[in-house]
Amino acid sequence: MGTDELTGVWARRVGLASIEREIERARRTHTALVLIFVDVDGLKKVNDSEGHAGGDELLRGFTATLQAHIRPYDIVVRYGGDEFLCAMPNLTLDAARDRIEGVATAFTEADDRHSFGFGLAQYDPPEQLVDLIRRADADLLEKRRTEQE
């Protein structure tokens, strides 16, 4: 069970282990690594109005759009119900932001009812995965908070 049955991306346990290996590689080779924490907006609303099949379609559409706009070796993990992690090795924070903003644009253009929020964190040795995830999630929460103001 290495992949998530619904979306086809890495399941949490296997995916986090893959990101851990990328962290070790970044540490060893002194290269960049950016982690993106993604939260797909409105999954509960879609489930409530269109049924769970509609919610499943939303998540599959999101992962298909994401994978179409990232590199084949970037790591995508289904972290929770509507939460995903994307590890992008050898990219600067600005380059990763540009890439995920392109994904957001493509996702919304495909269906303007849907969007997602994201937060980014660049790996900072000797940081651990849990800290990197926490910082990316905090960046997402900060963006959402400032959007509401």
Side-chain angles (χ1 to χ4, degrees), residues 28-45:
R28 188 177 64 250
T29 61
H30 306 286
T31 55
L33 174 67
V34 175
L35 183 76
I36 304 172
F37 192 107
V38 177
D39 184 14
V40 178
D41 298 328
L43 178 61
K44 181 178 177 0
K45 183 177 177 183

Side-chain angles (χ1 to χ4, degrees), residues 76-97:
V76 180
V77 179
R78 187 166 183 198
Y79 190 64
D82 61 354
E83 297 169 336
F84 295 83
L85 300 175
C86 183
M88 296 183 156
N90 300 312
L91 276 185
T92 64
L93 197 58
D94 288 340
R97 182 177 293 108

Side-chain angles (χ1 to χ4, degrees), residues 36-72:
I36 304 172
F37 192 107
V38 177
D39 184 14
V40 178
D41 298 328
L43 178 61
K44 181 178 177 0
K45 183 177 177 183
V46 171
N47 283 340
D48 290 347
S49 64
E50 300 175 31
H52 285 83
D56 290 353
E57 186 177 323
L58 170 63
L59 294 176
R60 282 192 298 270
F62 164 73
T63 56
T65 303
L66 177 63
Q67 290 180 308
H69 289 85
I70 62 173
R71 303 165 301 179

